[in-house]
Amino acid sequence: MSFFCSFPFKHIQIDQDGGVMPCCAWQSKQKETLDTYFVSDQIKQVQQQLINNQVPTQCRQCSDEEKRSGHSFRTLNQTFENVEPQIRNQIQSYPHFEIESIQVVTSNICNLMCLPCVGSSYIRDVELKKLNLISHTPKLSVFAENKNLSNFKSLKHISFLGGEPFADKITFQLIDQLIESGQSKQLRIDLNTNLTLCTEENLLKLRDNFQEVFIKGSIDGVGAINEYLRYPGAWNDVDYVVDLIIKLEIPFVITTALSNLALLKYDQLVNWAAQKGINDLFISKVLKPGVLAFDLLPNKLKTQLHEKFINLRDQLDHSNRTQAALDACIEICSKTDTTHDMSALITWLEKHDQVRDTNFRTLWPELNE
């Protein structure tokens, strides 16, 4: 089977600590920086392995996910950003590739404590420490202010991650830097956001100064489901901002951290999006913490969900990404050959409910059985 990914050729992610890697799924103990990345033997070796359709050890997360469910971060991205032919045509000039896309993780500053989150939200890590669910001491980490992103002259696309980019002043300092340099007019900009802090002023600044703006809204459910999974965010805030983005005619995709809890209600999110006229949905499958793993569900519930997702796929007009997301859900729910013990999940949720004054049993009554 062919295993190819364009990210190690055209794309880098810069973390708040200065670490550089091809993507968020990358696994390596060897840390690269902007000084070492472009001359790194590690990166050159990975590129050559991908050209030879081999799976690099750094890409095992995607490879393992594909074996487990048939889909991964790699396959979902390759579905709509297939530049493999272009890269293979440039093999003669290998390894002299120009970076066209950058992701920037500005900080772990965030206003939410999303249930599956570990490491991306400082206040969530503080909560996990209080619950004795992590052993390390949480650390606030912020992107260095002296970074100059306008130095990448071949850049076509920049994406801001977090934390929550709209909660971090560094995000708009970097955006202003790109606007003042004049580079923004040639750039597509993406922002991953939980949608609770977006303002019309900031959205207009992005829309009016960049060649293209793309908002990736992190939504894991509808109404109280999203409020539980993305605690303590208010659904009314999310719903208002989604309507504002639609009114401003800014391209928008819903991104979902597909935990087992989100999977149980994902059909509601697909239907809500369709009612809003949004047909672009993207999922990233949760593997950690293990109690929230996307496929950790009783077989009875998987069978019920399987039928729902097949009906959804056949009834609605979907984008390629939404189609890939639904196909992934169908694939997950078709695997009923393993019995799962849900007691660890129940205990884990009860521990959160005691601290947050929430109640998962009212939102997921199917787990009461």
Side-chain angles (χ1 to χ4, degrees), residues 280-346:
D280 200 358
L281 286 82
F282 181 84
I283 62 170
S284 59
K285 297 191 291 299
V286 171
L287 289 170
K288 295 179 181 179
V291 293
L292 292 178
F294 64 91
D295 55 354
L296 180 65
L297 284 175
N299 291 333
K300 176 182 176 182
L301 294 181
K302 281 187 177 181
T303 300
Q304 294 170 358
L305 289 171
H306 188 263
E307 183 176 353
K308 281 186 180 180
F309 290 131
I310 287 178
N311 289 335
L312 268 180
R313 183 188 63 185
D314 296 341
Q315 290 172 4
L316 300 175
D317 182 23
H318 303 298
S319 69
N320 288 341
R321 269 190 290 210
T322 306
Q323 190 69 48
L326 286 172
D327 286 345
C329 293
I330 291 169
E331 181 73 18
I332 293 165
C333 296
S334 68
K335 295 186 176 181
T336 57
D337 53 347
T338 304
T339 301
H340 295 294
D341 180 7
M342 305 302 289
S343 58
L345 171 64
I346 301 301

Side-chain angles (χ1 to χ4, degrees), residues 9 38 43-44 47 90-98:
F9 297 90
F38 300 100
I43 301 302
K44 291 177 183 177
Q47 289 175 337
Q90 295 174 350
I91 287 177
Q92 288 183 342
S93 62
Y94 167 83
H96 303 292
F97 291 95
E98 292 184 326

Side-chain angles (χ1 to χ4, degrees), residues 205-331:
K205 172 183 267 194
L206 295 170
R207 190 194 69 178
D208 296 342
N209 287 284
F210 284 82
Q211 183 181 70
E212 184 181 359
V213 181
F214 202 67
I215 300 296
K216 298 178 178 179
S218 299
I219 306 177
D220 291 351
V222 178
I225 297 296
N226 197 67
E227 291 179 341
Y228 187 96
L229 293 173
R230 294 190 167 269
Y231 178 87
W235 176 250
N236 286 340
D237 293 339
V238 173
D239 194 55
Y240 168 78
V241 171
V242 169
D243 286 342
L244 178 60
I245 291 169
I246 293 171
K247 184 187 79 170
L248 296 177
E249 298 182 336
I250 295 174
F252 178 68
V253 59
I254 294 173
T255 67
T256 299
L258 197 73
S259 63
N260 47 7
L261 296 179
L263 179 64
L264 282 168
K265 306 296 183 181
Y266 191 62
D267 61 306
Q268 296 178 4
L269 180 57
V270 176
N271 283 318
W272 173 83
Q275 291 169 9
K276 292 278 188 182
I278 303 166
N279 73 338
D280 200 358
L281 286 82
F282 181 84
I283 62 170
S284 59
K285 297 191 291 299
V286 171
L287 289 170
K288 295 179 181 179
V291 293
L292 292 178
F294 64 91
D295 55 354
L296 180 65
L297 284 175
N299 291 333
K300 176 182 176 182
L301 294 181
K302 281 187 177 181
T303 300
Q304 294 170 358
L305 289 171
H306 188 263
E307 183 176 353
K308 281 186 180 180
F309 290 131
I310 287 178
N311 289 335
L312 268 180
R313 183 188 63 185
D314 296 341
Q315 290 172 4
L316 300 175
D317 182 23
H318 303 298
S319 69
N320 288 341
R321 269 190 290 210
T322 306
Q323 190 69 48
L326 286 172
D327 286 345
C329 293
I330 291 169
E331 181 73 18

Side-chain angles (χ1 to χ4, degrees), residues 53 63 67 107 121 190 203 210 226 281 310 317 319 346 368:
N53 289 320
S63 176
K67 291 175 182 176
S107 73
S121 167
D190 298 353
L203 289 171
F210 284 82
N226 197 67
L281 286 82
I310 287 178
D317 182 23
S319 69
I346 301 301
N368 291 332

Side-chain angles (χ1 to χ4, degrees), residues 12-31:
I12 59 172
Q13 175 175 309
I14 307 175
D15 282 348
Q16 63 267 29
D17 61 3
V20 180
M21 62 197 76
C23 70
C24 61
W26 181 260
Q27 294 180 317
S28 175
K29 293 180 180 179
Q30 179 182 334
K31 296 287 186 180

